[in-house]
Amino acid sequence: MEHLYLISGILVFFAGTLLIGKPRKQRHDGWLIAWLSVILLHLVGFYVEQRQPFHFLLELSSAAVLLQGVLLWFYTKALTERDFNLSFRQSWHFLPFLLHLALVLPSVWQGSLAPLSDTLRGGLTLLKLISVGGYMCLILVQLRKLKQNEQEYFSYPVHLQLNWLKVVAICILAIVLLGGVSQFLFHTGQLSWLTEREDLVVNGVAAVLVIGITYFGFRQTLIFTNHPEPRPSFEKGSQDSGAPVVENPESLLQGKYQKSGLQAEASEAYWRQLQAHMQAQKPFLNPELTLAQLAAEMGVSPNQLSQVINEQARQNFADFVNGYRVQEVKERLTRGDHERFTLLALALEAGFNSKASFNRAFKKFTGQTPSEYGKTPLEPAGK
């Protein structure tokens, strides 16, 4: 078991080192580094426990459990919310950890375990399970919220880049559930064979999951490189592409933008500017184009641009951009480029970032799959 903890610790340390050495770190990176540091402290505690079951470091590791959910939650918030900043009002999230630390710090300072009663330790264990489990649920809700709103802010399925974070939250929830069950069985006398080491199973499973999570994390370019950040503001605030339009859009848009200061004349002017920009500069060729990036290119706010697209095109941002991408592919097919390149290559050059997203968008805008469309007679370019 010591070797398992050692391998897990080395992987976490290596991941943290890569993040610390990342050039042009972004604000969410600090939260992830802090979370990895807590995980490393736990693994060191697991390792030390094998050799010295009553080492004072175990008290620090135990108290730090109350930081796990907080730090990963703030990482998720910083990663997915454009305007997130830690304020003094949010400091209460750290209060349970500070209170636990205050209970054990005098003993830690003397190099021994804190003389806490079994009842108090049981209560603290329950608090940790509730805390970590609760924050993991908040993370899953936040990721679901991002997925529901992504088409208003991104031209690509950004939630797929954060699937690793969803996996991490689910794995930690599994550990919390296992910990709760093991504690229940232990205190009801069902695990008498683990009387002295009731945490052994949970610690072992946690170490194995850390190895898997770390390996999975190494494959995520979003973590170790600087990509556009998936940070919509979560505010509800074209070409003739043939995309489905919202039923009764006028009533919906009037409610959505009733407090907007953008006048109809300005909206129409921005719309003409947007169409000209899309035709001349072709920003849709960027597979990671976001609403914020396009708004910056045009010199307007993201909310204003979103309103213009919603009102004038009756589309969300993703459909608006993908309409141009599909049209780009159709034009290249008409020119006969499919005779020299694969259909997937044409899709990638048009701004799609995967075969699946291309197939979905093409079917949505043309009513045909790409292969079905390719079998129909193509009109010469210019007609």
Side-chain angles (χ1 to χ4, degrees):
M1 193 65 75
E2 291 181 8
H3 294 90
L4 180 61
Y5 298 150
L6 184 62
I7 293 172
S8 302
I10 291 174
L11 287 174
V12 172
F13 177 80
F14 183 59
T17 302
L18 288 178
L19 271 174
I20 292 174
K22 176 182 174 180
R24 294 180 285 114
K25 285 187 287 294
Q26 297 161 304
R27 59 178 180 176
H28 58 263
D29 292 325
W31 291 111
L32 186 57
I33 291 172
W35 181 72
L36 288 174
S37 300
V38 170
I39 297 298
L40 183 60
L41 176 61
H42 293 328
L43 293 170
V44 171
F46 295 165
Y47 182 82
V48 169
E49 186 180 17
Q50 297 295 302
R51 296 173 174 268
Q52 301 181 46
F54 301 102
H55 197 280
F56 71 92
L57 185 61
L58 299 179
E59 295 288 15
L60 293 179
S61 174
S62 178
V65 172
L66 291 168
L67 288 176
Q68 268 194 29
V70 178
L71 295 176
L72 197 59
W73 165 238
F74 283 152
Y75 169 74
T76 305
K77 296 270 284 184
L79 186 64
T80 60
E81 292 187 9
R82 186 173 60 216
D83 300 324
F84 172 77
N85 286 296
L86 185 65
S87 64
F88 179 77
R89 290 185 303 174
Q90 295 171 314
S91 60
W92 66 267
H93 289 275
F94 298 97
L95 187 58
F97 164 72
L98 295 175
L99 291 176
H100 189 172
L101 188 63
L103 287 174
V104 301
L105 197 57
S107 298
V108 170
W109 187 260
Q110 297 175 4
S112 62
L113 294 179
L116 304 181
S117 66
D118 291 342
T119 301
L120 180 56
R121 287 195 180 275
L124 290 173
T125 298
L126 180 60
L127 175 63
K128 294 168 191 174
L129 293 174
I130 294 174
S131 172
V132 176
Y135 281 111
M136 294 308 107
C137 290
L138 287 175
I139 290 172
L140 293 176
V141 170
Q142 183 80 352
L143 295 178
R144 180 179 177 83
K145 189 177 180 182
L146 174 67
K147 183 178 179 180
Q148 291 173 339
N149 289 272
E150 68 180 358
Q151 290 193 332
E152 291 289 346
Y153 304 93
F154 304 94
S155 64
Y156 59 99
V158 69
H159 73 275
L160 297 179
Q161 293 187 353
L162 297 179
N163 272 348
W164 71 271
L165 186 55
K166 180 179 179 180
V167 171
V168 169
I170 292 174
C171 287
I172 294 177
L173 273 176
I175 295 176
V176 169
L177 180 60
L178 178 62
V181 171
S182 67
Q183 287 293 317
F184 174 78
L185 294 177
F186 171 73
H187 288 291
T188 56
Q190 303 297 317
L191 290 180
S192 55
W193 55 280
L194 280 180
T195 301
E196 300 298 328
R197 307 296 294 277
E198 70 271 16
D199 293 331
L200 186 63
V201 175
V202 176
N203 293 352
V205 172
V208 172
L209 287 178
V210 165
I211 293 176
I213 290 171
T214 308
Y215 170 76
F216 190 49
F218 282 142
R219 302 172 60 187
Q220 310 306 309
T221 57
L222 178 67
I223 300 177
F224 299 105
T225 58
N226 292 303
H227 281 245
E229 298 174 315
R231 289 179 179 171
S233 60
F234 288 137
E235 294 176 0
K236 287 296 182 182
S238 153
Q239 63 207 81
D240 185 12
S241 60
V245 297
V246 180
E247 184 178 354
N248 194 17
E250 285 74 13
S251 61
L252 292 177
L253 292 174
Q254 286 175 1
K256 184 176 181 180
Y257 297 115
Q258 61 181 355
K259 296 183 180 180
S260 171
L262 186 64
Q263 301 299 319
E265 295 79 5
S267 178
E268 293 174 358
Y270 284 147
W271 172 241
R272 291 191 294 271
Q273 178 188 351
L274 175 60
Q275 288 180 305
H277 182 74
M278 297 294 285
Q279 293 289 348
Q281 303 300 325
K282 295 189 175 184
F284 56 86
L285 298 180
N286 174 11
E288 295 184 337
L289 180 67
T290 67
L291 179 71
Q293 290 173 334
L294 185 57
E297 293 177 10
M298 293 185 55
V300 300
S301 73
N303 288 338
Q304 287 178 327
L305 181 57
S306 177
Q307 180 177 348
V308 169
I309 293 173
N310 291 169
E311 290 180 341
Q312 301 295 333
R314 298 292 188 263
Q315 295 173 297
N316 58 46
F317 176 70
D319 283 342
F320 173 73
V321 174
N322 284 336
Y324 279 94
R325 290 170 175 167
V326 169
Q327 186 62 31
E328 179 75 11
V329 173
K330 290 169 64 178
E331 291 177 359
R332 297 197 62 175
L333 288 173
T334 302
R335 294 198 301 264
D337 288 359
H338 61 292
E339 297 176 359
R340 295 180 295 122
F341 303 99
T342 65
L343 197 57
L344 178 59
L346 297 181
L348 295 176
E349 290 185 0
F352 291 102
N353 62 359
S354 70
K355 181 179 179 179
S357 61
F358 166 59
N359 287 338
R360 284 193 301 269
F362 200 92
K363 175 75 172 180
K364 184 176 186 178
F365 284 88
T366 67
Q368 296 176 295
T369 65
S371 58
E372 291 172 344
Y373 185 87
K375 294 177 182 178
T376 61
L378 300 176
E379 295 182 1
K383 290 190 176 181

